[in-house]
Amino acid sequence: MDVVTTGTVLGAKPTDSPDRVTSILGSDFFENSLNNHSMWRDYGVVEFFWIRKTPEQPWEGHHFTLQVHRLPHGGGSLVNQVIRDRYGRFDRHLRFAKLERLLKNRGVSLEDVPDVNAPAVSQHWQPDSQVSVLVTRAHEEWRPRYRGDDRLGDVYAICSSVSAEQVAWNRERYGR
């Protein structure tokens, strides 16, 4: 709920530098890069992404994603220790209905946004924090299913930053 309402992970913003994010989430991460212009760090279920135009320039924060769909496969042990210390135990599933209800109790609403992956995925956007919640609505026929896998109605991922312009583009492209 805190990520959806604040647009941060324990105060780490999507625009923060790699050093700043590591100072908040700790040094237990895997660093990945496809080239000299993009990088991401995987802090368990949380991934932060950076870009730069040239290798001489500093990294610029681009976005973060909470890969909630990983929880059924490893449970709370996949969650970064700093986050577990703050929030405690994590269930293997995060039901969207529960998240939405708890957000409404805080006075926070989500807008439905058409998604390229519909009907398998629905997207719900919080305009103030610019956070998007992706929810599993159907299973792709081609994808193998595993015991304990995500269920229909589970949160698949929580992403930032999703701008109003991106939401408008999705609505224009994929319908209202």
Side-chain angles (χ1 to χ4, degrees):
M1 285 191 329
D2 288 345
V3 172
V4 175
T5 58
T6 67
T8 70
V9 177
L10 296 178
K13 295 178 267 189
T15 55
D16 282 342
S17 71
D19 290 342
R20 169 87 173 121
V21 173
T22 297
S23 74
I24 294 170
L25 295 180
S27 59
D28 186 15
F29 61 83
F30 292 101
E31 189 169 290
N32 306 280
S33 181
L34 300 175
N35 53 45
N36 290 331
H37 305 286
S38 66
M39 172 181 69
W40 73 98
R41 288 184 178 169
D42 182 342
Y43 296 87
V45 173
V46 179
E47 296 178 344
F48 272 80
F49 297 80
W50 296 273
I51 58 173
R52 62 183 176 186
K53 291 182 182 177
T54 68
E56 294 77 32
Q57 293 181 316
W59 292 109
E60 296 177 20
H62 189 266
H63 72 282
F64 64 74
T65 301
L66 276 66
Q67 303 287 3
V68 181
H69 62 92
R70 292 180 185 166
L71 289 174
H73 306 289
S77 65
L78 294 176
V79 177
N80 174 287
Q81 185 63 49
V82 175
I83 295 172
R84 283 187 304 192
D85 290 347
R86 170 69 169 85
Y87 294 107
R89 188 181 68 79
F90 281 76
D91 290 335
R92 290 187 179 268
H93 299 273
L94 174 57
R95 304 297 292 167
F96 177 69
K98 179 180 180 179
L99 175 64
E100 187 175 40
R101 183 181 73 251
L102 293 170
L103 288 168
K104 282 183 181 178
N105 289 343
R106 283 190 179 184
V108 177
S109 62
L110 297 170
E111 296 180 13
D112 293 341
V113 178
D115 190 82
V116 65
N117 296 305
V121 172
S122 63
Q123 183 177 175
H124 310 273
W125 180 61
Q126 210 305 305
D128 294 331
S129 65
Q130 296 194 329
V131 168
S132 180
V133 178
L134 301 175
V135 180
T136 302
R137 295 296 181 192
H139 295 295
E140 299 91 347
E141 297 295 322
W142 56 268
R143 187 174 149 234
R145 297 278 317 204
Y146 301 100
R147 187 173 182 270
D149 213 353
D150 55 319
R151 302 176 299 195
L152 302 184
D154 279 357
V155 173
Y156 184 82
I158 300 173
C159 311
S160 84
S161 294
V162 179
S163 69
E165 292 79 15
Q166 289 169 293
V167 169
W169 187 87
N170 270 31
R171 287 181 173 146
E172 180 69 27
R173 177 112 183 186
Y174 305 116
R176 300 211 170 262

